[in-house]
Amino acid sequence: MIANILGVSIGLFGGIWGTMTGVLAPKGRGRSFVLGAAKFFFTVGVMLLLAGGVALLTGQPYHVWFPFFICGFVPVVAVSYTYRILKKRYTQLELNKMYIDDMK
């Protein structure tokens, strides 16, 4: 039951973050929110991976440590891939804005 709640929570938060990222990032808005949420999501994923590792090392059964690993692995991989792209996109938009201001 706890694994289901954890998985749904991670998925829901990831879906909301992904939607907000898709809406805000192309417009160059919400930089601190989007990147801050990514850092938070990544941190939660790392903590879940560590919890799964501790459970595995202490000899817990599969159904105890595996949900922590899965619920930690997905956000770590998704955010680590997307964070660099988002940061680069926000930087490009900022540089474009500064270039346009210099042209005036």
Side-chain angles (χ1 to χ4, degrees):
M1 184 70 154
I2 293 173
N4 293 338
I5 293 171
L6 186 62
V8 167
S9 300
I10 294 290
L12 186 62
F13 182 72
I16 291 170
W17 177 72
T19 302
M20 296 303 287
T21 298
V23 170
L24 295 175
K27 298 177 184 176
R29 298 181 184 196
R31 179 185 177 123
S32 61
F33 170 75
V34 170
L35 295 180
K39 289 177 185 177
F40 174 76
F41 201 37
F42 183 82
T43 304
V44 168
V46 168
M47 288 175 20
L48 288 169
L49 280 173
L50 289 174
V54 168
L56 179 64
L57 292 175
T58 58
Q60 296 295 321
Y62 174 81
H63 65 275
V64 173
W65 60 265
F66 184 72
F68 287 109
F69 268 129
I70 259 321
C71 291
F73 179 76
V74 170
V76 166
V77 170
V79 171
S80 62
Y81 175 73
T82 348
Y83 184 79
R84 285 182 249 132
I85 295 170
L86 286 171
K87 198 165 183 179
K88 186 176 180 180
R89 178 66 180 154
Y90 277 118
T91 303
Q92 284 176 337
L93 289 169
E94 184 77 22
L95 290 173
N96 287 346
K97 186 187 288 186
M98 290 180 354
Y99 178 75
I100 289 171
D101 288 343
D102 287 345
M103 296 301 288
K104 289 181 182 179

